Amino acid sequence: MGGAVAKSFQVLEAVSVARGPVRLSALAEQLGLQKSTVHRVLAELIELGYVEQEAATGLYRATLRTWEIGSAVIADLPIRQIAANTLHDLHQQTGETVSLVMRSGDDALYLDKLISPRPTRFSTRVGSRVPLPLTVGGLAILAVSDDGAEVVGRVASRTDFPTPLDVEGTLRVLATIRRRGYAVSSARHSITGIGVAILDRDQYPVAALIVSAPTERLPAAQRTAAIELVVDAAARLSESLGRP
């Protein structure tokens, strides 16, 4: 991607996903671009209203305008509209946090999230991305995707994770999910997640439903009940998308 437009989007994306304001030099190093190029692009983005520079520090941050565009796109996605009532019902039935994710490249993109009235700390929010093998909804999607093994391999080759991805272990997990029809994960931060893929009429996984809760709130009986609710909700959504 060497064109001016491509560079502009590279810079805007880097600023948007950064956790906090960023330095020009850090952006240039991250993107492999000249500082003069990044400075020019940032100036253009500031003029257009997508980026702002803090007067006190000189650091750059994305403005709400980027959020407005992303929110408008997400709100207009058919799967989000179709799933809205089901998400609400599942939230009411379980009393826990319910999320809707869809595949975006090798990532799971969070389209919607209803937070439990007894919330716990979550790192994901609407609009955030997580590599597919690292989230229970992503695993549910990969288990019924033709290229699931390839995605696992690509994600494992990335160098931006604190711990390496266990490829063979992940493939065994996908096989188990494929056999039983749902994914369960209890590995992170004492949180149990239940994920089920939503399939279209061609059996393509267009999204996944997730219920997440502190593990202590989902002992065996409650977890079994929650799994049944998520499986049933995903099946209804699949039927809404024309699945025979």
Side-chain angles (χ1 to χ4, degrees):
M1 292 192 301
V5 173
K7 288 186 176 66
S8 296
F9 277 105
Q10 281 182 285
V11 173
L12 179 57
E13 182 174 342
V15 175
S16 298
V17 301
R19 293 186 178 275
V22 292
R23 296 185 182 279
L24 186 152
S25 57
L27 285 171
E29 181 178 356
Q30 175 187 343
L31 299 173
L33 298 173
Q34 296 290 328
K35 289 183 182 179
S36 58
T37 300
V38 176
H39 185 269
R40 174 181 55 77
V41 171
L42 287 170
E44 293 172 351
L45 292 173
I46 289 172
E47 185 176 350
L48 291 170
Y50 292 102
V51 171
E52 61 187 11
Q53 185 177 22
E54 296 182 346
T57 65
L59 302 181
Y60 297 87
R61 66 164 66 241
T63 68
L64 286 178
R65 189 163 187 180
T66 58
W67 174 82
E68 290 168 355
I69 292 176
S71 297
V73 172
I74 288 176
D76 201 38
L77 287 173
I79 184 61
R80 187 177 186 274
Q81 296 172 343
I82 292 170
N85 289 336
T86 300
L87 221 66
H88 175 77
D89 292 343
L90 190 58
H91 178 61
Q92 293 294 314
Q93 291 168 335
T94 63
E96 300 296 351
T97 296
V98 179
S99 305
L100 175 71
V101 301
M102 69 176 295
R103 179 173 176 177
S104 178
D106 290 347
D107 295 334
L109 174 64
Y110 280 75
L111 299 179
D112 207 348
K113 182 184 283 280
L114 300 179
I115 304 296
S116 167
R118 302 172 293 169
T120 187
R121 181 178 178 135
F122 289 95
S123 59
T124 55
R125 61 188 185 280
V126 173
S128 64
R129 291 171 174 264
V130 178
L132 286 162
L134 302 186
T135 178
V136 70
L139 288 170
I141 290 171
L142 288 180
V144 289
S145 297
D146 293 338
D147 64 343
E150 288 84 354
V151 173
V152 172
R154 285 196 297 269
V155 172
S157 69
R158 291 168 56 172
T159 59
D160 53 339
F161 302 138
T163 55
L165 178 65
D166 178 359
V167 173
E168 293 302 320
T170 302
L171 294 179
R172 288 194 295 271
V173 168
L174 294 184
T176 299
I177 296 168
R178 200 157 38 242
R179 184 175 66 252
R180 65 189 183 186
Y182 60 87
V184 177
S185 173
S186 304
R188 302 182 61 193
H189 311 302
S190 300
I191 300 296
T192 291
I194 302 163
V196 181
I198 302 166
L199 307 178
D200 66 11
R201 67 177 62 199
D202 298 317
Q203 303 295 291
Y204 180 81
V206 294
L209 281 176
I210 303 172
V211 167
S212 305
T215 301
E216 63 186 21
R217 290 212 299 256
L218 285 179
Q222 284 89 335
R223 185 171 68 174
T224 298
I227 289 170
E228 292 175 354
L229 288 169
V230 183
V231 168
D232 182 63
R236 292 199 308 272
L237 284 175
S238 294
E239 290 175 2
S240 298
L241 292 172
R243 181 184 173 190

